[in-house]
Amino acid sequence: MGNGGFRVARGWRIRNILLNMMMISIVAVMGCSNDEVSPSQSTVQKDETTLVIGAYSVAKDALSEILPLFHKEWEQKTGQNIKFQESYEASGTQARAIVGGFEADVTLLAMEGDIEKLVKADLLDEEWKNKPENGMVTRSIVVMGTREGNPLGIKEFTDLTKPGIKVVYPNPKTSGGAQWDINAIYGAGLRLSEEQGKKDPEVAKQFLEKVHHNIESLDKSGRSSMAAFEYGVGDVIVTYENELRARIQKGVKYEIVVPKDTILIENPAAVISKYADKHDTREVAEAFIEYLWSEEAQRIFAKHGFRPVNDVVYNENISEYPIPEGLFDIEYLGGWEYVRETIYSKRGVWYQVLAGL
C-alpha cells in the first residue's frame, strides 16, 4: 500500500475513532440529562398539586379570600404549591354535577341533604359528619330583605301573604338555599298552627300556598334571586341573612327583616373521598376542610355575613347575630329525610303548591 493509501486508511480510522467518541459523548450527555430531568420532573409533580372545589354559589365570595390564605399556610407547612380549580353553582345543581361525573375533591354545599346525595352515590364516606360541628362549617338564618326604609312595613312571613306583595326566592328543585327558604316559611306556618291549638302540616301547607301566590321570580339559585332583586324585581326577597349582609357591606341600601319564627341554616363541607383518592389529593383535601373551622377562616365567613360555628369567633360577633325568639332547626320539621319525603318528593307539599292541589 502506498503512502496515499495509508493516509486514506488512517484518515478513515481517525474519523471512525472521532465518530465513536462523539457517540459516546452524546450517550453520556443524554444519560446525564435523563438523570437530571427525572428528579426535577418528579419534584414538580411532588411540589405541586391541584385541588378541585365544587361549591354552592353563595360561598364564592368568602372562598375567594379563604383559598389564598390556605394556600399560603399549606405551602409553608409542606413546601407544596396548590392550584385551585373552582366551580360554583346552585347547591342542588352542584351535587348533581358531582354525582354525574364532575370530579371535585372537596365540596361546600347549602345543606346536609345535598351531601347525602353524594353518600348514596358512593362518592363520600358515610362518616363525613364525624367532624367538628357535625361537618357544618357555617350557619345562617332565613330572613327577608326589602328596599331601603322597608316601604311596605314588612315584619313577619305573614306579611308576604298580603295582596300585591311581590315575593322573590329561588327554586327548591335546583337550589339548596331555596329549600331552606321554603322550610322557613313552612315552619312559620307550623308555628301559626300551634298558636291555633296543634301542630298541623295542612295549615303550614296552606300558609306556604298563600306566600307562593305572590311569587314574582323563581330563580335557579340564591345568588340568581339576589341578582334579580338587585335589578328591581319584587318587593321582598326571602334569602340567607349572609346574602343580604354581603350586599349591604358593598353599599347596597337594603333592610334586613328578621322574622320571629325562622329556621337555622347549617351548611356542610366534606372531602369527596372517591375523587380525592383518585387524584391523590386526600391529604390536602382533608387539611383544607379542617382549615375551614379555623379562627382565621371563620372570621372571613363572618365578614361575609355567615354566622360562625367557631365559638370564639361567634362571641366576637354576637352583637351582629342575635338569635330570633322563635328560631327552629330542621328537626322541628322532622329532619332532612322526612322533609325530603313530605315536602320535596314528586307528590310532596312543594309539588302540590306548584300544581295548585
Side-chain angles (χ1 to χ4, degrees):
M1 180 183 295
N3 289 335
F6 176 78
R7 283 196 297 270
V8 170
R10 187 173 65 176
W12 278 109
R13 284 198 298 273
I14 291 171
R15 235 175 260 152
N16 286 337
I17 291 169
L18 289 172
L19 285 170
N20 287 336
M21 289 176 66
M22 288 174 65
M23 291 299 295
I24 291 169
S25 297
I26 290 170
V27 170
V29 169
M30 288 178 67
C32 290
S33 176
N34 285 338
D35 287 343
E36 292 171 2
V37 169
S38 294
S40 89
Q41 286 175 339
S42 65
T43 299
V44 169
Q45 292 169 354
K46 179 181 178 181
D47 290 350
E48 185 171 278
T49 190
T50 298
L51 192 66
V52 184
I53 297 172
Y56 72 116
S57 57
V58 175
K60 183 177 182 179
D61 292 342
L63 287 182
S64 70
E65 293 190 43
I66 288 172
L67 293 180
L69 292 174
F70 175 70
H71 176 280
K72 181 180 179 180
E73 180 178 289
W74 183 255
E75 190 171 39
Q76 289 176 344
K77 180 180 178 181
T78 68
Q80 188 177 54
N81 178 53
I82 307 173
K83 292 183 177 180
F84 297 103
Q85 290 183 3
E86 305 162 52
S87 169
Y88 299 96
E89 293 284 352
S91 184
T93 302
Q94 190 70 269
R96 285 190 292 274
I98 294 170
V99 170
F102 169 46
E103 296 187 359
D105 299 307
V106 297
T107 189
L108 289 82
L109 295 175
M111 60 183 190
E112 181 180 329
D114 284 337
I115 294 284
E116 288 300 320
K117 294 174 185 175
L118 309 185
V119 174
K120 289 181 180 179
D122 293 325
L123 300 177
L124 199 65
D125 297 333
E126 291 187 5
E127 296 78 21
W128 71 271
K129 292 185 73 175
N130 294 342
K131 296 283 187 180
E133 305 301 329
N134 291 320
M136 306 300 160
V137 293
T138 54
R139 295 189 181 108
S140 191
I141 59 173
V142 173
V143 299
M144 295 176 287
T146 73
R147 310 297 175 187
E148 186 177 13
N150 192 1
L152 298 178
I154 302 298
K155 295 181 179 179
E156 298 291 343
F157 284 129
T158 50
D159 294 323
L160 304 187
T161 66
K162 295 177 180 178
I165 300 292
K166 298 175 181 178
V167 181
V168 175
Y169 48 70
N171 188 340
K173 283 297 183 183
T174 57
S175 168
Q179 291 193 23
W180 284 117
D181 298 336
I182 298 304
N183 293 347
I185 297 169
Y186 182 83
L190 284 178
R191 283 286 167 84
L192 283 175
S193 71
E194 285 188 304
E195 291 174 7
Q196 297 168 9
K198 69 171 184 176
K199 189 176 179 181
D200 189 343
E202 185 58 32
V203 172
K205 176 194 166 187
Q206 291 172 4
F207 181 69
L208 179 58
E209 286 175 336
K210 290 177 182 178
V211 173
H212 190 69
H213 179 76
N214 286 336
I215 192 71
E216 179 77 0
S217 179
L218 193 66
D219 301 285
K220 74 171 186 176
S221 71
R223 186 55 54 91
S224 297
S225 280
M226 201 71 244
F229 193 62
E230 287 185 0
Y231 281 121
V233 177
D235 302 313
V236 186
I237 183 170
V238 181
T239 187
Y240 284 23
E241 176 187 47
N242 54 280
E243 277 285 82
L244 288 171
R245 284 185 174 274
R247 293 303 186 277
I248 291 170
Q249 287 173 6
K250 294 178 180 178
V252 183
K253 304 297 184 182
Y254 292 145
E255 301 289 335
I256 298 177
V257 180
V258 180
K260 177 175 67 72
D261 298 316
T262 191
I263 196 166
L264 175 68
I265 296 168
E266 296 184 291
N267 312 122
V271 174
I272 304 173
S273 49
K274 180 176 180 179
Y275 296 142
D277 290 341
K278 178 180 178 180
H279 303 156
D280 195 24
T281 57
R282 184 69 172 260
E283 183 180 4
V284 65
E286 293 281 4
F288 173 69
I289 295 298
E290 290 293 332
Y291 178 76
L292 296 179
W293 285 291
S294 71
E295 290 184 16
E296 186 172 55
Q298 288 287 303
R299 287 191 178 97
I300 292 173
F301 280 128
K303 173 184 172 183
H304 288 275
F306 290 94
R307 295 183 172 223
V309 298
N310 180 290
D311 288 340
V312 171
V313 181
Y314 179 75
N315 288 332
E316 292 172 358
N317 295 273
I318 195 168
S319 63
E320 293 291 317
Y321 299 109
I323 299 174
E325 179 185 339
L327 186 67
F328 54 87
D329 62 16
I330 195 66
E331 295 305 319
Y332 176 70
L333 305 184
W336 272 116
E337 185 174 352
Y338 180 81
V339 166
R340 285 195 297 270
E341 291 176 359
T342 59
I343 299 180
Y344 302 111
S345 65
K346 291 183 179 180
R347 297 289 176 180
V349 169
W350 178 248
Y351 168 85
Q352 295 173 40
V353 167
L354 287 181
L357 300 176

